[in-house]
Amino acid sequence: MPVQQGMATAPDAAAFARYDAVAIAFHWLMFVLVAVAYAAIELRGFTDKGTTARMVAMEVHKWSGALVLALTVPRLLWRAVRGAPASEPYPWLARLAGAAMHVLLYLFLLAQPILGILMMNAGGRELMVPGLGVGLPPLIAPDAALKDVLGEIHETLGNAFYLVIGLHAMAALFHHYMLSDNTLRRMLPRR
Ligand code: HEM
Ligand code: HEM
């Protein structure tokens, strides 16, 4: 029977459970936005006070970060509706560690931009679209002491997540190159 023969000889490459295209698009788009937010704030360190370059770096930082927040909400809703593919067959402790890491990453994607916005509001500033005079109304009243606390948390969390994100990426590469399983392929677009 030609159909059965075709199925038996077909390569088995797509047989594993993978994330759906929307979840994959969210993941990699947000990876780029977080990378841009980090790069912009680091590059700002090389600029002089009052220069256009410094202003641009800060606006890029704030708006890529705000976009992360705007996308995390629909991303979580999508995940709640569509779920995630069944995990690779590893002991429960390994699967728990992976799931805990993902919860941590989602919390960061929500908390870090919110902290950034609240920090600005506490400092008496709003998130404005440059040149348009419109923006997000302040969510809290100015409070210099609170601004300092929020700034500290934003900075500490931002620095800590270099490590957490690095571990997450290294875990994915370890699965791919050392354990040779489908963990990374699950999150890559179907070829
Ligand atoms: C994924 C999102 C974000 C990440 C990863 C992130 C990360 C960071 C990091 C690493 C710093 C440098 C802290 C330091 O060492 O001084 C920083 C500073 C800052 N971020 Fe964010 N941030 C994000 C979103 C936002 C958002 C949405 C806003 C505001 C709308 C914001 C406003 C600021 C401000 C005002 C600073 C302080 C700059 C200064 O030193 O004056 N951030 N952020
Ligand atoms: C800003 C950086 C990143 C963030 C915030 C992030 C966040 C996340 C989150 C929240 C999940 C869970 C998805 C879900 O089940 O709903 C996830 C899964 C995944 N991420 Fe990332 N990620 C980042 C960077 C990377 C990088 C650089 C790689 C690869 C080198 C990677 C590879 C993966 C893989 C393979 C999965 C699926 C894991 C599994 O199914 O067990 N991620 N990521």
Side-chain angles (χ1 to χ4, degrees), residues 104-143:
L104 210 61
L105 288 164
Y106 277 127
L107 286 177
F108 173 74
L109 294 174
L110 286 173
Q112 187 69 350
I114 291 175
L115 282 164
I117 292 168
L118 293 181
M119 178 203 343
M120 285 186 64
N121 292 168
R125 290 176 298 146
E126 293 170 34
L127 179 61
M128 302 289 286
V129 182
L132 289 189
V134 291
L136 189 71
L139 305 171
I140 53 171
D143 179 334

Side-chain angles (χ1 to χ4, degrees), residues 41 44 58 61-62 65-66 112-113 116-117 119-120 154-155:
I41 203 73
R44 177 176 175 270
M58 201 59 229
H61 176 73
K62 291 189 293 194
Q112 187 69 350
I117 292 168
M119 178 203 343
M120 285 186 64
H154 189 76
E155 179 179 346

Side-chain angles (χ1 to χ4, degrees), residues 63-186:
W63 281 101
S64 54
L67 259 178
V68 166
L69 178 61
L71 285 174
T72 302
V73 178
R75 180 176 177 186
L76 283 171
L77 287 175
W78 182 261
R79 195 193 196 286
V81 173
R82 292 295 297 262
S87 47
E88 290 281 287
Y90 282 107
W92 69 270
L93 197 58
R95 282 186 281 135
L96 185 68
M101 178 61 112
H102 295 163
V103 171
L104 210 61
L105 288 164
Y106 277 127
L107 286 177
F108 173 74
L109 294 174
L110 286 173
Q112 187 69 350
I114 291 175
L115 282 164
I117 292 168
L118 293 181
M119 178 203 343
M120 285 186 64
N121 292 168
R125 290 176 298 146
E126 293 170 34
L127 179 61
M128 302 289 286
V129 182
L132 289 189
V134 291
L136 189 71
L139 305 171
I140 53 171
D143 179 334
L146 182 63
K147 177 192 177 269
D148 289 346
V149 173
L150 294 172
E152 283 292 326
I153 304 175
H154 189 76
E155 179 179 346
T156 308
L157 212 58
N159 291 331
F161 268 75
Y162 271 120
L163 185 71
V164 177
I165 293 169
L167 283 176
H168 169 68
M170 269 159 54
L173 297 175
F174 181 76
H175 274 278
H176 190 71
Y177 291 107
M178 300 295 176
L179 305 177
S180 304
D181 63 20
N182 289 316
T183 304
L184 179 57
R185 269 183 225 113
R186 286 149 60 84

